[in-house]
């Protein structure tokens, strides 16, 4: 018999790894602007005007400062 919790947890997708530009650093959180213009907050070390990878509200690390291209599918 399968573990019901594991089956349920497998139905929930993992949060995506996103990229954005840090526009403000505040005590306890940073404000990040996504390529589409939306703003989110995330915890972790960051520097203003630097690109970062973040997932589920936590900064994972620095991202390369490249031009972002969004393609509609």
């Amino acid at each position: 018999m399968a573990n019901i919790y594991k089956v349920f947890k497998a139905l929930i997708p993992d949060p995506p790894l996103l990229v954005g530009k840090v526009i403000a650093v505040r005590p306890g959180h940073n404000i990040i602007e996504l390529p589409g213009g939306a703003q989110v907050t995330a915890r972790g070390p960051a520097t203003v005007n630097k690109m970062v990878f973040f997932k589920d509200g936590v900064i994972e690390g620095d991202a390369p400062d490249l031009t972002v291209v969004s393609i509609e599918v």
Side-chain angles (χ1 to χ4, degrees):
M1 184 168 164
N3 183 335
I4 294 173
Y5 177 73
K6 286 184 180 180
V7 172
F8 175 71
K9 188 149 172 87
L11 295 174
I12 302 171
D14 291 332
L17 182 65
L18 301 172
V19 65
K21 182 181 240 179
V22 178
I23 59 172
V25 176
R26 305 272 189 254
H29 70 279
N30 305 298
I31 301 173
I32 300 171
E33 185 174 58
L34 300 176
Q39 295 180 359
V40 296
T41 60
R43 295 176 282 121
T47 306
V48 175
N49 290 328
K50 293 289 186 175
M51 299 293 285
V52 293
F53 290 117
F54 66 99
K55 181 191 324 189
D56 202 22
V58 178
I59 294 175
E60 300 285 328
D62 293 336
D65 195 13
L66 304 172
T67 304
V68 177
V69 178
S70 297
I71 300 173
E72 296 283 331
V73 178

